Amino acid sequence: MDGNKNWRFLSTESNKVDEPLKVEEAETTNVPPPSEKLLVLGGNGFVGSHICREALNRGLNVSGLSRSGGSSLHDSWAKNVTWHKGNLLSFESWKEALDGVTSVISCIGGFGSNSYMYKINGTANINGIRAATEKGVKRFVYISAADFGLANYLLKGYYEGKRAAEMELLDKFPYGGVILRPGFIHGTRRIGNIKLPLGFIGSPLETVLQHAKPLNQIPLVGPMFTPPVNVTAVAKVAVRAATDPVFPPGIVDVYGIQRFSQQMSR
């Protein structure tokens, strides 16, 4: 990945830290044109559903992909999403979902055995990236994950799959590919009819750890101090990255996600 000259790592530790600010100042349009069509892969999930809602709020034409071809969401706004049936592991089953799509956001991921995790986090996303390239999609945003040091070895298939998908994205979308690497994502998560208020844990931790950045540099255990981030912040930055032609391509870590989100809230 280090050999790719076309991507940048956007973090508040970088010497290029001011570049995102320049991008923000250069932005002239907050509402994307009506011709923008966004496809959300994994739109039924925790992060994907928030991305769909954020995109609808911004006036986008939003579609989602699910194995059932419908939504498992009970919120009224979900009816405004056009749902397509398909399986990322079989392009023929969902290629029509990419017709007319200008940008894609993938939230596909999962846990299980190492082989299963690689297939879902890696192969499925790689298939999505390649299909989007063939269909002439302009921008592709991938919700990846921050490194967690020792945890990477315990979830080897998960992280190897994520990084393989990242490599594919940087190769296929050198000028329109954005990778978000959040850590623990908090917010209200719905499981069936039950709502889990993850913010009760995540929000205080985010407040504390975002001001304890030096701890993140401690060898081996440092990554465990990566601050959580609110799902709303991830959704806002993802939609902007997918629709803003001057949003810089490359990797955005959790600190970059927080910074972009704060800029958008001013």
Side-chain angles (χ1 to χ4, degrees), residues 57-81:
N57 289 340
R58 293 195 61 190
L60 282 168
N61 181 347
V62 183
S63 58
L65 183 73
S66 68
R67 291 195 175 190
S68 66
S71 174
S72 61
L73 305 172
H74 303 293
D75 301 284
S76 59
W77 59 262
K79 298 177 182 178
N80 296 320
V81 177

Side-chain angles (χ1 to χ4, degrees), residues 42-196:
N44 270 327
F46 173 48
V47 178
S49 61
H50 281 80
I51 287 174
C52 286
R53 183 168 59 181
E54 172 66 20
L56 288 171
N57 289 340
R58 293 195 61 190
L60 282 168
N61 181 347
V62 183
S63 58
L65 183 73
S66 68
R67 291 195 175 190
S68 66
S71 174
S72 61
L73 305 172
H74 303 293
D75 301 284
S76 59
W77 59 262
K79 298 177 182 178
N80 296 320
V81 177
T82 301
W83 294 96
H84 298 275
K85 183 178 182 178
N87 183 344
L88 278 180
L89 296 175
S90 173
F91 177 48
E92 292 299 318
S93 72
W94 67 281
K95 62 181 180 180
E96 291 183 359
L98 283 167
D99 290 346
V101 169
T102 53
S103 55
V104 174
I105 300 176
S106 178
C107 311
I108 299 296
F111 296 95
S113 66
N114 277 323
S115 61
Y116 175 81
M117 288 191 290
Y118 188 91
K119 180 187 294 185
I120 297 302
N121 296 283
T123 305
N125 282 296
I126 289 171
N127 288 349
I129 292 165
R130 291 176 178 174
T133 303
E134 292 178 13
K135 283 284 192 173
V137 172
K138 298 176 182 177
R139 301 186 67 82
F140 198 112
V141 178
Y142 175 43
I143 310 300
S144 188
D147 286 318
F148 275 99
L150 294 176
N152 290 27
Y153 296 96
L154 300 176
L155 298 170
K156 185 177 180 181
Y158 179 85
Y159 281 98
E160 286 185 350
K162 290 283 188 185
R163 298 303 172 246
E166 289 183 1
M167 289 286 288
E168 188 70 20
L169 180 60
L170 294 171
D171 178 58
K172 294 293 191 296
F173 286 87
Y175 304 108
V178 178
I179 296 163
L180 303 187
R181 282 187 180 175
F184 171 65
I185 301 176
H186 66 86
T188 301
R189 184 166 194 161
R190 184 191 296 272
I191 300 180
N193 294 321
I194 301 175
K195 292 184 177 180
L196 298 179

